[in-house]
Structures are given as C-alpha cells and as structure tokens.
Amino acid sequence: MSIVTEPDADFAAYFAGQVSSVRRIAYALCGDWHTADDLVQMTFVKLYPRWRRVRDGSVDAYVRRILVNTYLSHVRKHRREKVVAEVPDAPARQADTHEDLSQALRRLPAQQRAVVVLRHLEDLSIADVAEVLQMAEGTVKSQSARGLAALRAAMSRSVQPREL
C-alpha cells in the first residue's frame, strides 16, 4: 500500500497541470521535441526537492527559471553538436511558414531565444523576463528587439522566391 503525502499530491497535481505548458516553452527554446522532453524532465526533477519551499510562492516563475537555466546549460554543453537524420544534398526550401519561423528561432543565440520565447510566446512582462533570466530590464529590451529583428529578416528572406 502506497502512502501519498500532501506535498507529493500537490506536486503531482502541479505537474499534471503544467507539464504541457512547460513542454511547449522547452520546444520553443530548443526546437526539438526529444530535447524538450529531456529539459522538462530535468526541470521537474530539479523542482521536486525544493517543492515544499516554493509551492506557496511563485512556482510558475521558479519553474520557468529552472527551465531556462537548464536549457542554457544544455546549449553550453552541446554547443557544437547538431544531430540530423541524413546529410542533405542541397538545401531544401521549406514551404511551411511555421517551420521557417521555428528554424529562424533556433538560429538566435540561446539567451536571446530565451528572451524572445518568454517575452513573446509566454507573454511575460519585461520585468518578469528580467527576473527569470536574472538580467537588467534594459538587456531584456535590447535582446528582444535584436531577436525580433533577426526573426523578421529571416522571415522576409524565406518569403522571397529563390532563383533556380
């Protein structure tokens, strides 16, 4: 017979309610569902031992901070790795705008991508993003502006027809 304590039940309920949202953020950060699943798992593994202290506070912000820090650590460890199914003969044209945007997002530097995802996908305020990433609000603004400019440029290039 298994005895579930109140904190464990609270954690399980929080996990069930938030895992899909955290997974979506993780995918937006890394652009790969397998890596996103790993990041989500590591995030909740890191959250569990601290659950009793943070469950009455701002848990969502704490989880976002863990996720972004885990993602940035992952990027630093695997900076030069790029896994592909097979080597392409020639660059293929992506017709899907969602794919173009996803690729453009993956080309942003890791911290800039984190700012853009938290600010514009998660719709956090500048102050909230600054708190999660532990940076100045001015840095959030400049990183967001640079990231959006890079995304706009990439999307405008992907819309223009290419000569064969």
Side-chain angles (χ1 to χ4, degrees):
M1 185 165 151
S2 175
I3 298 175
V4 178
T5 64
E6 181 185 337
D8 288 344
D10 288 347
F11 182 82
Y14 180 80
F15 174 83
Q18 295 297 316
V19 70
S20 62
S21 174
V22 173
R23 187 173 185 248
R24 182 174 51 89
I25 298 168
Y27 177 77
L29 289 169
C30 69
D32 174 62
W33 286 113
H34 299 290
T35 304
D37 288 338
D38 291 344
L39 292 172
V40 170
Q41 180 179 353
M42 287 185 274
T43 297
F44 281 103
V45 165
K46 291 176 181 178
L47 173 64
Y48 183 75
R50 297 166 182 88
W51 180 249
R52 289 177 192 240
R53 284 185 288 152
V54 299
R55 69 180 174 162
D56 296 328
S58 181
V59 180
D60 293 341
Y62 190 70
V63 167
R64 283 190 295 267
R65 178 178 288 170
I66 293 172
L67 176 63
V68 170
N69 287 343
T70 302
Y71 161 71
L72 293 173
S73 292
H74 174 79
V75 168
R76 282 189 289 275
K77 288 178 188 173
H78 304 292
R79 184 166 290 164
R80 292 182 183 89
E81 287 182 20
K82 183 169 184 178
V83 178
V84 293
E86 58 185 62
V87 179
D89 291 334
R93 169 73 180 114
Q94 294 289 336
D96 186 14
T97 304
H98 181 270
E99 275 301 310
D100 289 342
L101 180 59
S102 183
Q103 287 179 359
L105 190 60
R106 282 192 297 265
R107 280 191 225 104
L108 294 178
Q111 192 163 9
Q112 195 173 75
R113 185 179 327 148
V115 169
V116 170
V117 166
L118 292 175
R119 181 78 178 103
H120 301 285
L121 181 66
E122 281 299 297
D123 200 29
L124 294 181
S125 69
I126 292 169
D128 289 342
V129 174
E131 181 183 334
V132 168
L133 297 177
Q134 297 177 333
M135 61 175 54
E137 289 184 17
T139 304
V140 171
K141 291 176 189 177
S142 66
Q143 290 295 304
S144 179
R146 288 182 186 133
L148 290 177
L151 291 176
R152 282 188 196 103
M155 294 307 293
S156 69
R157 283 192 303 269
S158 72
V159 172
Q160 295 175 359
R162 296 183 183 164
E163 292 185 29
L164 298 176

